[in-house]
Amino acid sequence: MAMNDSVNILNSAYLAVEYIDSFLPDNPLQQPFKNAWNYMLDNYTKFQIATWGSLIVHEVSYFLLCVPGFIFQFIPYMQKYKIQQDKPETWEKQWKCFKTLLFNHFFIQLPLICGTYYFTEYFNIPYGWEEMPRWYVLVAQCFGCAVIEDAWHYFLHRLLHHKRIYKYIHKVHHEFTSPFGMQAEYAHPLETLILGTGFFIGIVVFCNHVVLLWAWVICRLMETIDVHSGYDVPLNPLHLVPFYAGVRFHDFHHMNFIGNYASTFTWWDRLFGTDSQFIAYQEKEKKKQCITKK
C-alpha cells in the first residue's frame, strides 16, 4: 500500500512538472543541440561516442570548471572569499597536482571509460535523439545519482581515514591542507577506484540514455571542484541544492583531517555526528565575527 502511494506521488509530481514545462518558452539551444547530436550519431560509431565522447566530456568539463578557481588566485579582490587565506596556492603544488591528474585520467580512468560502450550494449542503453529524456527527468536522475554516490562516499571515505590504512591510500589526497579546484581528483590510484565506484552505481540504477552518463559526469565534477575550490563565493547557485554541504564543509575536512566525510550532502555526517567539530568551529567563528563588529 505504501509502495503504491509512493508511486502515485511520483507520478503526480512528474505530471505536474510536465504540465509546467508545457508553458515554458522553447529553448533556443535545443535545435542546435539536436543538430549536433544527430551529426555525431551519423558520423561516429557507438564505441567512439561512448569511449572518446565520454573522455572528451570529462577532460573538457574538468579543466573548464577549474578555470574560475585558478583565476581567483590572481585577483586581489577574490582573496577575501578564500577560506584559508594563510595558505596560498603555489606553482609547485599546482604543477605536481596537474601531472598526477594526467596519470590518473589516462591510466586509471580511461581504461574504465573504455568499458562504457560494453555497458550500454549489455543494458541496451539508447543513443538516439528521440529516446533522450526531458531536462527535468535528467535533473531528477542526476540528483538520484548524487544521493547514491554521497552514501557510498561517506562510508568508504570514512573507512579510508581509519588509522591503519590512512597513510597508505587517502593520505595522498590530503597532501594539500588548503585545497584548490584542480586538486579534486588528486588521489592515490586505489582511491580513484574505491571512491569512484560510487559514481557508477547511480548510472547502473538510473541510466536510460547515454546522455545521462555525460550529464552526471558534469554534475559530479561541478560539485567536487566547487567543494575543493577553497573559495566561498557568494550567490553560488549550488547552494540552491537541498542539503548541499558546500565548500566550507569540505575545506574544514582538509584543514583538520577529520569529520565531514560526505561528498555532497550533510545528512550522513549529521546522522552519525561526524560534523560535530565543524559545527563547533562555525559557532566559534561566529563569536569572533560578533566581537570584531563590536
Side-chain angles (χ1 to χ4, degrees), residues 99-146:
K99 290 188 293 183
T100 301
L101 279 179
L102 290 183
F103 177 84
N104 284 350
H105 285 184
F106 290 97
F107 292 96
I108 305 298
Q109 295 182 12
L110 179 57
L112 296 175
I113 290 173
C114 287
T116 303
Y117 166 75
Y118 302 100
F119 166 78
T120 60
E121 286 295 293
Y122 183 81
F123 289 101
N124 198 28
I125 305 298
Y127 288 61
W129 176 264
E130 298 302 324
E131 297 89 350
M132 190 180 294
R134 300 298 298 273
W135 66 269
Y136 46 84
V137 176
L138 272 177
V139 170
Q141 289 174 326
C142 287
F143 185 79
C145 288

Side-chain angles (χ1 to χ4, degrees), residues 61-129:
S61 299
Y62 191 90
F63 290 105
L64 277 181
L65 289 167
C66 287
V67 167
F70 179 79
I71 294 175
F72 287 167
Q73 65 183 308
F74 305 111
I75 304 176
Y77 176 80
M78 295 304 297
Q79 297 313 301
K80 66 180 180 180
Y81 299 120
K82 183 170 173 59
I83 298 170
Q84 299 186 54
Q85 297 185 7
D86 59 329
K87 297 175 183 176
E89 298 91 342
T90 65
W91 285 108
E92 182 183 2
K93 288 181 179 179
Q94 291 175 94
W95 176 240
K96 180 182 180 181
C97 177
F98 181 71
K99 290 188 293 183
T100 301
L101 279 179
L102 290 183
F103 177 84
N104 284 350
H105 285 184
F106 290 97
F107 292 96
I108 305 298
Q109 295 182 12
L110 179 57
L112 296 175
I113 290 173
C114 287
T116 303
Y117 166 75
Y118 302 100
F119 166 78
T120 60
E121 286 295 293
Y122 183 81
F123 289 101
N124 198 28
I125 305 298
Y127 288 61
W129 176 264

Side-chain angles (χ1 to χ4, degrees), residues 281-292:
Y281 170 78
Q282 283 187 310
E283 291 298 323
K284 191 181 295 184
E285 288 298 305
K286 286 180 182 177
K287 289 179 181 178
K288 283 183 181 179
Q289 291 177 2
C290 289
I291 293 172
T292 304

Side-chain angles (χ1 to χ4, degrees), residues 193-233:
L193 294 173
I194 293 168
L195 295 185
T197 299
F199 172 89
F200 295 102
I201 298 174
I203 293 296
V204 173
V205 174
F206 294 109
C207 195
N208 59 353
H209 195 280
V210 71
V211 75
L212 176 63
L213 291 167
W214 297 350
W216 171 222
V217 164
I218 294 169
C219 287
R220 178 69 180 113
L221 290 180
M222 194 182 303
E223 177 276 326
T224 191
I225 290 170
D226 175 58
V227 301
H228 284 91
S229 69
Y231 290 84
D232 187 16
V233 180

Side-chain angles (χ1 to χ4, degrees), residues 7 28 30 68 70 79 93 98 147 160 162 173 178 213 226 230:
V7 171
Q30 183 171 342
F70 179 79
Q79 297 313 301
K93 288 181 179 179
F98 181 71
V147 170
L160 289 175
H162 192 281
H173 184 66
S178 178
L213 291 167
D226 175 58

